[in-house]
Amino acid sequence: MKSQIISLTSALLAAVPFAASVPAPIPPECPLVDVFVFADPFEATALPGYYLESAKGVAVLVKGPLENTFSFDEGTGPLGLWNAGPTVDGCAGYSYLNAHQIGSLSANPTYSRLTYDAVATTNWEITIGADLKKVGFPSSSDFLACKRPVGSSKKGKYVLFLKNPGVVGPAGGSTPTTLASGDGETFAVSSCVATKIHINPAA
């Protein structure tokens, strides 16, 4: 029995130098960045006082007023929010609001899930004093705010979806009656609130 213990110990000790010779992954060298925060201008028209935010990459509405760091140019382009989700290099930075079509476009209407991602794949029409609008196909400025269940511990009282006009094809398609948030909650479309996202002038 003693010889078996000695043999096992020797084998373990022999493995240590080999394990130690495997280089550990090097974390990215992230620069220190100073960012400026300002009043969140993206407010839900049907839910005054609720503003566009992120809950671990899921687009939500949060009771404000809020201060955030956004990245956008007035006109058409991507919409970035600081530390809203994943970034390209894993460092602190902007994540971009993207719309992901749910199901087929042949239904009318259809919906898109809204997430903040490392790379922008969706462009928005951003005009101060007007409503936020997705450009491209299909374009839309109609959103759906779905209230989280009572007792939910997740950030954001409402999860935000984009409502698309849909394209009715020869075979048609069925409109979803429920929507999944992407962070584990499901909502009945009939219980959600239709809204615009208005872009307020700087205070």
Side-chain angles (χ1 to χ4, degrees):
M1 183 67 179
K2 184 176 180 181
S3 61
Q4 290 178 344
I5 293 173
I6 293 172
S7 298
L8 179 60
T9 303
S10 300
L12 290 172
L13 289 173
V16 169
F18 174 78
S21 67
V22 178
I26 300 173
E29 294 183 6
C30 297
L32 295 175
V33 181
D34 288 329
V35 294
F36 296 96
V37 297
F38 52 91
D40 189 330
F42 298 98
E43 184 177 13
T45 57
L47 298 162
Y50 281 86
Y51 296 84
L52 181 62
E53 243 285 2
S54 171
K56 296 183 178 178
V58 174
V60 295
L61 296 176
V62 173
K63 184 72 172 174
L66 302 176
E67 289 189 338
N68 275 319
T69 302
F70 286 94
S71 170
F72 63 86
D73 293 318
E74 193 166 3
T76 299
L79 173 56
L81 175 59
W82 188 263
N83 277 354
T87 58
V88 172
D89 59 4
C91 295
Y94 289 105
S95 301
Y96 297 91
L97 183 64
N98 291 321
H100 306 277
Q101 175 68 33
I102 300 171
S104 170
L105 271 172
S106 62
N108 192 11
T110 66
Y111 301 93
S112 293
R113 188 175 295 111
L114 296 169
T115 62
Y116 288 91
D117 306 307
V119 176
T121 59
T122 301
N123 285 324
W124 302 90
E125 186 177 305
I126 303 170
T127 303
I128 304 301
D131 296 329
L132 182 66
K133 182 179 181 180
K134 176 188 172 292
V135 297
F137 179 79
S139 62
S140 176
S141 60
D142 296 318
F143 294 84
L144 207 61
C146 300
K147 192 174 183 179
R148 290 197 188 273
V150 175
S152 174
S153 60
K154 294 182 171 65
K155 179 181 177 181
K157 189 170 184 179
Y158 296 88
V159 174
L160 200 63
F161 297 87
L162 185 70
K163 183 179 178 181
N164 304 310
V167 180
V168 179
S174 58
T175 298
T177 57
T178 60
L179 296 171
S181 65
D183 62 2
E185 292 180 343
T186 302
F187 312 96
V189 171
S190 59
S191 66
C192 300
V193 178
T195 187
K196 303 281 189 179
I197 300 297
H198 191 72
I199 308 167
N200 296 322

